Amino acid sequence: MSGRAVVIGATGQIGRAVVANLTDHGWSVTAIHRGLQSPPTQWRDRRVEVRTADRDDRTQLGAALDGGADVLVDVVADGEAHGRQLVELAEDIGLIVAISTAGVYVD
């Protein structure tokens, strides 16, 4: 299967691996990040579309998701507010994959 995938938190360690795997399997990928790190240069060769948005700003995230997606992979989902935000954006998304870790919740 292939189609359009959107990755939120794309420039982090897990996000970079997700983008690489998706492009390796023929997906058209839009990588969303906050702009704090530069995207890998090889993304240009893989034709990854890069968009900058703050994960916590619903308007920015909605604009970055313009056009919807067959799959959205969120590697920075953290808590109920982000879950609700994804549900609000779900109308134009086929499948949502939220990746988190128990380490997020450790004090």
Side-chain angles (χ1 to χ4, degrees):
M1 181 178 182
S2 62
R4 179 168 186 248
V6 174
V7 180
I8 301 172
T11 56
Q13 184 177 5
I14 296 170
R16 288 174 190 244
V18 170
V19 170
N21 190 282
L22 287 166
T23 57
D24 285 349
H25 288 89
W27 286 82
S28 170
V29 176
T30 298
I32 299 175
H33 70 107
R34 292 180 295 172
L36 301 178
Q37 297 182 46
S38 297
T41 56
Q42 62 266 37
W43 284 5
R44 196 169 320 134
D45 297 336
R46 292 173 178 251
R47 294 185 170 86
V48 174
E49 180 180 351
V50 178
R51 296 185 182 176
T52 303
D54 183 334
R55 172 68 179 79
D56 293 321
D57 185 315
R58 204 262 186 226
T59 302
Q60 286 183 20
L61 191 58
L65 285 167
D66 184 39
D70 297 303
V71 65
L72 179 142
V73 182
D74 185 348
V75 301
V76 292
D78 179 23
E80 183 180 343
H82 286 171
R84 290 185 187 283
Q85 185 184 54
L86 292 174
V87 169
E88 291 172 7
L89 296 167
E91 183 176 318
D92 294 327
I93 299 168
L95 174 69
I96 296 173
V97 178
I99 300 172
S100 190
T101 175
V104 170
Y105 306 102
V106 175
D107 290 325

